[in-house]
Amino acid sequence: MEKGKKQIVMSGIRPTGFLHLGNYFGALRNYVRMQDEYECYFMVADLHSLTTHPDTKELKGHVHRVLAENIASGLDPEKAALFCQSHVRETSELYLYLNMLAYKGELEKTPTFKDKVRLQPDNVNAGLLTYPVLMAADILLHRAALVPVGKDQEQHLEIARTYATRFNHRYGDVFPGPQAFNFGQALVKVPSLDGEGKMSKSENQNATLYLADSDDVIRKKVKKAKSDSGPTEPNSVKPDYIENLFLLMSLVCEKDVIEKFESDYNNCTIQYGKLKEQLGEDMVKFIAPIREKAESIRTNEKYLNEVMEKGAEKARKSANATMEQVRKHMGLVY
Ligand code: TRP
């Protein structure tokens, strides 16, 4: 790496749903920290969403929402390049070249492909098969070294690394091998309120807190969170779903509040009604300002267009520099 040059970070988020607390603590909060130390490219993956959502009626609204929620959560368009995938046409060119290095058998074995085939047997399109090729193009286009992604994307990242190596081997060194990357310790997995799994974009919506939820909805969802009648023995081990409530508290409540409930738990005087009331209020305090900010950004189309254009310009500049190298190394310069 050249001295003084920042390492390049790239990631994408599909515009297929509302952002929730899991996205915030699992991903977004890390992006916000990265933008000060790295050269960051954060993209709304609208093209990827076409593989599963061919109907584009709602796409614009979703793209605007995701951008607004990202900015409201602390991403700064002056620091990171915030852009939309389809605004960087060079992606499609690199995608095409990488397709020649991608083998059908390999792609068919990808677990996410198999899942999608099961989920949408009537629309097993080639875009679905080559989803990881497009993702590799997104990453390699900026010669990114670091890719902050969740566990579910690690296989895709490995495929991107394979194509980088294959390209370099066949045509000469252009691409660094991108690595999964997360700031600090392990990612926070935000448990869902029903004690089953994590918060999710599409499943168990009543047990997931969205950044767009109203104060009342937040209070209601937290109130319904799974609990029981409390421990009968001092210093008992907490069941999972109670452990989850404490974990959620650790994200948004003051330390002394948590300590009080811990000690109530340990001496068997805990009242889960009170705990959930407190958690609900602290969740409202945490989410409401983000929701309000996101809402004012989301409805300001002029501002959003400026952000997307500025981000795309930065992304295109980096993409162009890479594509010049790619064409030259491939011998496509006549
Ligand atoms: N496939 C990713 C997801 O579903 C989104 C994505 C698209 C992405 N392109 C990317 C992530 C490039 C990291 C880098 O979450």
Side-chain angles (χ1 to χ4, degrees):
M1 200 177 60
E2 280 171 57
K3 235 180 150 180
K5 214 168 165 233
K6 287 184 181 174
Q7 276 190 295
I8 298 174
V9 168
M10 196 277 148
S11 197
I13 177 157
R14 266 179 310 152
T16 48
F18 290 65
L19 294 189
H20 53 73
L21 224 54
N23 299 126
Y24 181 88
F25 286 104
L28 269 171
R29 202 176 49 159
N30 281 320
Y31 295 177
V32 173
R33 291 190 201 154
M34 285 169 198
Q35 65 187 354
D36 289 314
E37 286 182 35
Y38 300 92
E39 181 177 331
C40 292
Y41 295 88
F42 295 129
M43 167 199 94
V44 181
D46 58 337
L47 299 177
H48 274 109
S49 74
L50 296 176
T51 63
T52 50
H53 296 67
D55 186 344
T56 53
K57 269 203 297 299
E58 318 244 310
L59 190 53
K60 183 171 172 178
H62 287 315
V63 169
H64 285 184
R65 172 178 296 282
V66 169
L67 271 173
E69 288 180 336
N70 274 280
I71 298 167
S73 303
L75 275 195
D76 182 350
E78 300 292 325
K79 293 180 183 165
L82 265 182
F83 62 101
C84 190
Q85 189 178 28
S86 61
H87 289 171
V88 183
R89 306 276 155 83
E90 290 76 7
T91 311
S92 307
E93 184 186 353
L94 185 56
Y95 170 58
L96 185 139
Y97 299 152
L98 294 179
N99 266 309
M100 319 307 180
L101 301 172
Y103 299 110
K104 175 170 161 280
E106 270 171 355
L107 291 169
E108 278 169 344
K109 272 193 278 178
T110 314
T112 45
F113 175 67
K114 290 195 202 158
D115 288 345
K116 301 266 171 70
V117 172
R118 233 173 291 130
L119 285 170
Q120 50 181 70
D122 296 331
N123 183 19
V124 184
N125 60 77
L128 210 51
L129 181 68
T130 55
Y131 185 108
V133 188
L134 183 55
M135 182 162 153
D138 294 331
I139 297 167
L140 300 182
L141 197 56
H142 304 291
R143 285 175 278 184
L146 307 172
V147 185
V149 282
K151 269 242 161 314
D152 62 323
Q153 295 296 314
E154 273 174 12
Q155 212 113 26
H156 290 158
L157 198 54
E158 190 172 333
I159 295 177
R161 263 197 307 279
T162 302
Y163 299 159
T165 312
R166 241 173 235 168
F167 184 99
N168 292 345
H169 187 73
R170 188 165 298 171
Y171 300 115
D173 263 351
V174 174
F175 300 119
Q179 298 292 331
F181 171 66
N182 285 297
F183 222 76
Q185 334 81 342
L187 288 183
V188 184
K189 278 203 189 118
V190 180
S192 76
L193 293 164
D194 57 8
E196 319 245 336
K198 308 183 290 173
M199 290 197 180
S200 151
K201 262 192 207 168
S202 44
E203 293 149 50
N204 60 11
Q205 298 186 354
N206 286 323
T208 293
L209 295 171
Y210 295 92
L211 299 180
D213 279 347
S214 71
D215 292 355
D216 277 350
V217 167
I218 297 169
R219 288 192 187 101
K220 264 192 212 130
K221 284 181 178 173
V222 175
K223 203 167 169 189
K224 284 210 204 109
K226 183 172 160 123
S227 57
D228 54 26
S229 50
T232 49
E233 297 279 321
N235 304 312
S236 309
V237 175
K238 297 188 189 93
D240 288 353
Y241 48 93
I242 299 299
E243 197 67 78
N244 288 348
L245 290 180
F246 276 90
L247 199 156
L248 290 167
M249 279 208 293
S250 75
L251 300 175
V252 294
C253 298
E254 298 285 349
K255 225 172 159 182
D256 53 334
V257 169
I258 302 170
E259 277 163 13
K260 179 194 167 295
F261 283 108
E262 280 285 356
S263 85
D264 286 356
Y265 181 88
N266 285 330
N267 58 36
C268 309
T269 57
I270 192 156
Q271 291 180 286
Y272 288 127
K274 287 247 162 64
L275 181 152
K276 289 195 271 184
E277 203 175 299
Q278 176 81 45
L279 179 60
E281 288 314 313
D282 287 336
M283 280 294 176
V284 165
K285 250 190 242 159
F286 183 82
I287 292 175
I290 300 178
R291 179 189 65 226
E292 282 157 19
K293 193 165 174 209
E295 201 47 25
S296 82
I297 296 170
R298 191 177 69 80
T299 48
N300 187 348
E301 226 174 283
K302 183 166 168 283
Y303 171 71
L304 280 177
N305 285 336
E306 279 164 19
V307 167
M308 281 190 285
E309 186 42 43
K310 190 183 168 85
E313 216 174 283
K314 222 162 150 186
R316 276 186 220 117
K317 198 164 162 224
S318 137
N320 270 321
T322 302
M323 290 316 291
E324 252 176 54
Q325 290 298 312
V326 165
R327 293 180 208 113
K328 196 171 106 208
H329 279 76
M330 289 181 77
L332 296 172
V333 183
Y334 313 115

